[in-house]
Amino acid sequence: MASKSKRNRTKFKWTKELSFLVAFFAVIIVVTIVLNIVTSTGLAKKLNTAINDYNTANSAQYNGVDEDKNVFVEISNSNYDSVVDSIVDKAKSDEYTFFYYGSLSKGEFLENLSTINATADTYEVKTVYLVYSTYVDDAEKNSETNTYQYRKQISTYEDKLNNKVKDNVEKFDMTETPTLLVYKSGELVFNSQNESDQYSWTIYINQALSLPKQQ
């Protein structure tokens, strides 16, 4: 007579410890979502403050960023070596990665923020990284742009950022602002400096942010 094997079945038991664990992870998820929203909204407010201050001081009428649909994320400016390294690291993504480079104190940079933000939403681009031109701005402010150290350092930065450049795309010149850059798999595939003021910024922005839809 064939023997019959029986599976040992363990009845699931909901314990107090398991409840605490589930609750803990739920709290982590909620806090992460809230922090992301707060950070995004806080940055949008910061950008809009800069735009409003510039408008007031210069009788300009640049539009603000929609705080509910902000796509901008700042790359930390605490150390410029880490800024460049962060760009290089993010640029390695297999997805198109977007960077807008310039200064919050300059009208040419502020003027395009609203259009970039709205166009990104249109093309379902989730993130555009803001990179501030602090290294160049500080050197200009301190009259250091002709020093050996400055020229050597900026050459090092540009070599890293231009390690791979698509044919017919200009290498990124850090002294020129504002600039919209697009990388894919570590390669610079779009540089608004390439256009040499041939078209309007509206066209540059659409060309850059529509790249994922052209695949």
Side-chain angles (χ1 to χ4, degrees):
M1 181 175 177
S3 61
K4 296 181 179 179
S5 62
K6 296 183 179 179
R7 294 182 181 178
N8 292 325
R9 297 182 179 178
T10 302
K11 187 176 181 181
F12 176 78
K13 185 177 181 181
W14 187 271
T15 64
K16 183 186 296 184
E17 290 77 11
L18 185 58
S19 298
F20 286 145
L21 185 61
V22 171
F24 172 76
F25 283 116
V27 169
I28 292 296
I29 293 171
V30 171
V31 169
T32 301
I33 293 172
V34 170
L35 285 177
N36 285 337
I37 293 173
V38 170
T39 301
S40 178
T41 303
L43 175 56
K45 290 181 182 298
K46 173 182 176 179
L47 299 178
N48 287 335
T49 296
I51 292 169
N52 290 333
D53 289 347
Y54 186 90
N55 285 344
T56 301
N58 297 276
S59 300
Q61 295 182 332
Y62 299 150
N63 294 324
V65 172
D66 186 339
E67 295 180 6
D68 294 328
K69 296 182 179 180
N70 174 44
V71 300
F72 294 114
V73 174
E74 283 182 323
I75 291 184
S76 175
N77 232 355
S78 57
N79 178 294
Y80 219 79
D81 288 344
S82 64
V83 170
V84 173
D85 289 342
S86 181
I87 297 171
V88 172
D89 184 60
K90 295 180 188 305
K92 293 177 183 177
S93 171
D94 292 334
E95 304 294 330
Y96 286 100
T97 311
F98 305 86
F99 302 89
Y100 185 47
Y101 172 77
S103 171
L104 287 179
S105 65
K106 296 182 179 180
E108 296 91 340
F109 180 82
L110 298 172
E111 182 179 11
N112 297 316
L113 288 172
S114 177
T115 304
I116 292 174
N117 194 58
T119 306
D121 183 59
T122 298
Y123 289 115
E124 299 179 331
V125 171
K126 302 300 182 183
T127 303
V128 176
Y129 292 103
L130 293 181
V131 184
Y132 299 127
S133 53
T134 310
Y135 183 75
V136 173
D137 297 340
D138 288 347
E140 291 177 349
K141 181 180 178 180
N142 298 321
S143 301
E144 296 174 347
T145 55
N146 290 322
T147 64
Y148 169 77
Q149 181 60 37
Y150 169 80
R151 293 196 301 270
K152 179 181 178 182
Q153 186 62 73
I154 201 168
S155 177
T156 299
Y157 288 152
E158 290 179 343
D159 285 346
K160 287 184 177 182
L161 297 169
N162 292 306
N163 183 48
K164 290 171 59 182
V165 182
K166 185 178 180 180
D167 291 342
N168 300 321
V169 174
E170 290 284 339
K171 289 186 175 181
F172 174 37
D173 178 354
M174 290 179 64
T175 65
E176 186 175 329
T177 61
T179 300
L180 184 59
L181 304 169
V182 186
Y183 286 87
K184 189 176 189 295
S185 302
E187 181 181 34
L188 181 61
V189 298
F190 180 91
N191 178 3
S192 62
Q193 297 172 0
N194 196 63
E195 307 301 330
S196 303
D197 298 326
Q198 184 177 359
Y199 303 109
S200 70
W201 262 98
T202 300
I203 293 178
Y204 302 155
I205 293 166
N206 273 279
Q207 286 177 339
L209 296 177
S210 66
L211 283 173
K213 297 293 186 181
Q214 297 175 23
Q215 289 184 314

